[in-house]
Amino acid sequence: MAAAVVTVLLVSSARARVGAARQAHLMLAIGSALAALTTAIALVGVLTFADQWGHHQQARTTLAIGIGIGSAVSAGVMCAGLLRLPWAAGTRRIAGRHLLDALVIAFALWFVGWVLVSKPTQIFGANTPRPCVGIFIAAAAAALAVGIVAIVTMRGAGSRLRLLLMGCGAISVAACGVGLTAGLCQGGPGLATLSGVVMPVALMVVAFAGRGVDTEAIAELDVIRRGTSYAFVPMLGMAISGMVHVMIGGQFTAMGIALGSLVGFALVARQFVALRDVRSYAIRLQDGEAHFKELAHTDPLTGLANRRGLLRALAEEVEPGKPCVLLGLDLDGFKNVNDMRGHDVGDDVLVEVGQRLRMNLRPGDVAARLGGDEFAVLMWARPHEAQGAAERLLRVLNKPYEQASGRVFLSVSIGVAGGETASDESTLLQHADLALRYAKQRGKNRVERYHASYDQLLRRRTTLEHEMRGAIERGELHLAFQPVVIMPSVQPVGAEALIRWHHPELGAIRPDEFIPMAEECGMIAKIGAWVLHQACHQLSRWLTDGHDVWVSVNVSPRELHAPEYVDQVAEALRAHRVPPQRLVLEVTEHAVATDLDELIKRLRALRAIGVRIALDDFGTGYSSLGQLRRLPIDILKIDHSLVAEAEPGSDLVIPPMVTLAGGLDPLGNLKPTRPKGGPLVDIVVRLGHRLGLEVIAEGVTNQNELAAVVDAGCRFGQGQLFGWGVPAEHLEAMLDAATSRGARRDRTTLSSTVGEKLADRPACGELAPPAQRTAATPPVQDVGSVDSSREIRQS
């Protein structure tokens, strides 16, 4: 009855679970039911044969065989349930290996037991049971249960205490089966009854352990960290028991030899399985290593080789005398694709670039993505062949990229480096990168071959970038001032502040070399602030000395687009007590070409504090007449290319705007005129005056050009004819010489008069009445300009 209750508990526990755990508990319940049935049958037999026990030996032996088989089956089903538990053996494969290990232990225990009960040992003496098939069957099941419980307890992934309790219950069930069969065969009704009473207790232990909460851990096959005690301990026990058996005069019968052979066969089978596991594990490791090695050398997005893959190809396949060329490729403007279209579109474009590279390379060539939008191609070709291949790739990669959101247009820059110019792989990569950077600097969308001079340029650039970061603190930067004169008297009325850098070792460094570098490395804001303060400080000194001048400062696009730049200019004016109208900020047409609306907003804010704005290098950049009308500027500076004297005998094609300046001939046809200087200077001057702007002619180098700009009506000039950029004290001497003999007083009066005229003139893009402009711009603080007609009369 107690065994039946245990069986019901195990069935209810199985119904509360799912999957393999449910099957395992059902097996435990079935094993418990079989054990209960076997025990009941055995007890019924004991009661039947109790009155005449000795007269029913044959019947008891037959019943003992049946009880032994039943006990073995019930114990086996319960052990199978243990092996079916997920945290004991997660898969059938693991369960099979546990069973082989358990067999080794079981055969060893059976051999030791045989030695103990055999002659001459016979540890039970006269009570040693006679050979009985039922006892052998039950003992074999008990030994197997011990082996299985030992293995699953050592290698289980869950709670080992639960496994141990359930296993001890299964071993107890098997041991009770041995007691039942031994009692029926020889021991008597007492042993059989005692075993029958203990059987429900063993089943209670199994039921109690089965009612616990299952763990989520799952046992896995571990080839590396697997104990070997399951083999050494049983073999050591067999060896010791066998030696003792021989030493005391025992002999090995067929049963002993069979048991020893079974252990050997079990060990061999287990080692065979272990070797197969190790071989399979080694193959998986080898495949995994190859897979991860391939991943480590492959770009996951495009499927091309990555930098490691390219270096491996260079190291393994480049041979002395074998011509190879490395191409470095970089997509021009790819950042805009990510910013405007999104990174998903950018990734699709990169994948398409990789496909185009693969489709346009020869067998054996290696295409790689080095990172971002930078690619490389390793080709086995002569330099002239690689040049043609690079040109072909340039055309292929410049084609539009069809995307779901629309076409994407990109160009590519390519640098070519030959293997003969490099001593190793890293040097070849560096040469290709240098050639690529040179292609970028020369306008992009082109192919450039590496030249040895690029190394010197790179080293110089690196040195300059390093030295530039401390140039201000070391006092290596200074300002030079190029005079701006009024024509034709050529008296200085202003100056343009030009930055100069003189390094103690590198000597004089040109501004067109270090200014772009400062913009790229983020130093332009610091240098621009220093130039602004130095120019305002010098202008303040000149104004204090009574000189009627203004100073212009060049502004980089990056400075001008900074939101805090207006406050920096206002702070510099306040710090040096400079009237705002005396400061002119020069903006290049390159700055106008980017983000025009933001630029207009910033220029209006600067003009609101009284600063004058000049558009520099007009005529060479991107400005159109529509943009010129919108820009809030005060001064137009004509580029030297429009001022330069035309070459003798050159045939000029006069555009319609120029031919209109000549009027009509007697027949009514357009009569062209040929300016003495540049063919368009008079048109630009009239355009500037028509828009209400003052015009300064830059780059005046000789008397012919001076006469041309004067004839065109330009009042202000700047150039080599009037002086290069000079130190502040030299320009001050020029101002003193120009204002000697009482001229300073006359020029101050004239400057104020013309200042009123400039203040009355509405700025381009503004509709403010003249009265408001005059009120906002006091004449005494206006640009130090001079009335040209009065100046001509004075001269």
Side-chain angles (χ1 to χ4, degrees), residues 767-778:
L767 300 178
Q772 294 182 6
R773 291 282 297 169
T774 304
T777 309

Side-chain angles (χ1 to χ4, degrees), residues 477-495:
L477 299 182
H478 65 277
L479 292 184
F481 296 89
Q482 187 175 24
V484 178
V485 303
I486 190 166
M487 298 179 295
S489 64
V490 298
Q491 292 184 3
V493 292

